[in-house]
Amino acid sequence: MQVREVNGTQLAVVTPASGGFARHSHDEYVISVNVSGRERVRLDRSSFEVDLDEVTAYNPGQVQSCTTRTPEGAAFTCVSWYVPPGVLGALVGGPPPDFSHPVVRAPRLRRELLRAAGRLAVTGTDRPGVRGSGNDRPSLTEPASDRPGVSGSASDRLGVSGSASDRLGVSGSASDLPGLGLGAAGDDVLALVEERLTLVLLRLLDLAAPALARRSPGPEPGDARIAAVLDRLRADLSSAPRLADLAGEAGMSREHLVRSFTRATGCPPYAWHLQARLAEGRRRLRGGLAVAEVAHELGFTDQAHFHRHFTAAYAITPGRYRAINI
């Protein structure tokens, strides 16, 4: 099993030696998707099938077990995300809720969790807030015969609609955000993964806890604390912000900040700030500054890092953009 800790939650890639799981329970919420194989689950006194385009969401203390089936020669593998009750309570601004639907069909959310696990698998274990365990690294590439009939291209959207998600204005998958592929810098990957996982939780609440999703989720978009965070982000484009620092200055939990900021602006803090840095990069390139100088001044790891983000966002390299604008 490979585990990465992300600010109090754990994301794990699990390949059980037995091919399934005996009866057990967790103190955390367990949110899972299958990479390879299908399950027959028993949860408390109910049972159901889980296919490859579905997401499961189990409440703390629920007793679960499963048997699995896989294509010939493939091992059953899943990505499981363990979320302590306090994290979900902070997200909804109240007592930790219960998921009323343990399994939902949500292929796009499934892909988000697979992307998150894939990105963390390549960042290493020496980043703040990320801890690895285990030397095995199960592949997150699905066997061709095991893939659901959905596309995973960069043009995919989260497909968020209804209740809390409408208020958030969420759109776009993790791969839609500029330049953050597997080769991006680890700190950037961690920041994006943390934000995207928070949005996954919000969408999952819409699907698996619909009664909760109809409740107002907290401060209005005009919250003065969000205005202060925006001022802070605008004032310093020299480096990527740390979500924990922004939340601490605003007197909010990280989850509360991502939720409220996204409701107010349409995207989470790191993604908003990245766009502001890239827009400033365009202005400086038009002013004649060298690409390497702009990359350094705006806090990108190196020129190649800036190049990836800029090209993904604007479909033109920074060097070419500079050449045709000066």
Side-chain angles (χ1 to χ4, degrees):
M1 181 170 73
Q2 184 187 8
V3 180
R4 292 289 181 266
E5 185 172 307
V6 185
N7 294 314
T9 72
Q10 289 188 327
L11 197 63
V13 181
V14 185
T15 303
S18 65
F21 297 97
R23 287 168 59 87
H24 67 286
S25 64
H26 295 269
D27 293 334
E28 309 97 337
Y29 295 91
V30 183
I31 298 163
S32 297
V33 297
N34 294 339
V35 180
S36 174
R38 292 161 172 81
E39 292 180 272
R40 177 69 181 176
V41 173
R42 185 165 182 83
L43 184 71
D44 290 341
R45 283 175 284 188
S46 65
S47 60
F48 47 87
E49 299 278 343
V50 180
D51 212 335
L52 280 172
D53 59 354
E54 294 178 312
V55 179
T56 57
Y58 305 151
N59 298 308
Q62 287 191 295
V63 178
Q64 56 182 280
S65 62
C66 76
T67 57
T68 64
R69 62 185 187 278
T70 62
E72 184 69 28
F76 174 77
T77 301
C78 64
V79 170
S80 291
W81 185 24
Y82 304 99
V83 181
V87 171
L88 205 54
L91 184 63
V92 301
D98 279 344
F99 289 110
S100 55
H101 302 317
V103 58
V104 294
R105 192 170 302 278
R108 291 164 180 169
L109 292 188
R110 172 185 183 267
R111 289 198 297 276
E112 288 290 326
L113 286 172
L114 293 180
R115 289 186 181 114
R119 287 191 170 97
L120 291 181
V122 300
T123 60
T125 61
D126 57 348
R127 304 283 177 183
V130 181
R131 186 186 68 203
S133 67
N135 296 320
D136 55 324
R137 292 197 170 193
S139 171
L140 295 184
T141 302
E142 303 163 54
S145 62
D146 225 16
R147 291 174 186 156
V150 292
S151 167
S153 70
S155 62
D156 289 336
R157 297 290 174 187
L158 265 173
V160 176
S161 63
S163 60
S165 304
D166 283 337
R167 295 191 295 272
L168 279 165
V170 178
S171 66
S173 72
S175 60
D176 291 323
L177 297 177
L180 283 174
L182 293 179
D187 287 338
D188 286 332
V189 171
L190 179 59
L192 180 63
V193 165
E194 183 180 351
E195 290 187 338
R196 298 306 295 182
L197 287 177
T198 299
L199 297 181
V200 165
L201 266 183
L202 285 165
R203 176 56 177 147
L204 192 58
L205 286 169
D206 280 352
L207 295 172
L212 177 75
R214 287 192 290 269
R215 288 162 35 188
S216 174
E220 292 302 315
D223 190 324
R225 292 171 295 181
I226 301 304
V229 171
L230 280 165
D231 288 342
R232 154 85 153 78
L233 293 176
R234 292 188 187 101
D236 184 6
L237 300 178
S238 64
S239 62
R242 292 187 65 249
L243 190 59
D245 292 342
L246 295 176
E249 292 172 14
M252 307 165 77
S253 69
R254 287 185 294 262
E255 296 80 12
H256 191 174
L257 173 61
V258 170
R259 181 190 71 195
S260 299
F261 191 98
T262 306
R263 288 178 62 221
T265 68
C267 62
Y270 176 84
W272 188 95
H273 193 251
L274 176 60
Q275 298 300 321
R277 290 160 69 204
L278 291 172
E280 179 61 22
R282 282 162 54 100
R283 286 190 286 271
R284 296 187 187 190
L285 291 171
R286 289 197 301 267
L289 290 181
V291 174
E293 185 177 359
V294 173
H296 174 73
E297 289 179 353
L298 294 179
F300 291 93
T301 305
D302 51 31
Q303 185 172 333
H305 185 203
F306 176 57
H307 182 282
R308 285 194 300 272
H309 283 289
F310 192 96
T311 304
Y314 302 122
I316 186 174
T317 68
R320 177 64 178 157
Y321 182 84
R322 179 181 184 274
I324 64 177
N325 282 282
I326 61 172

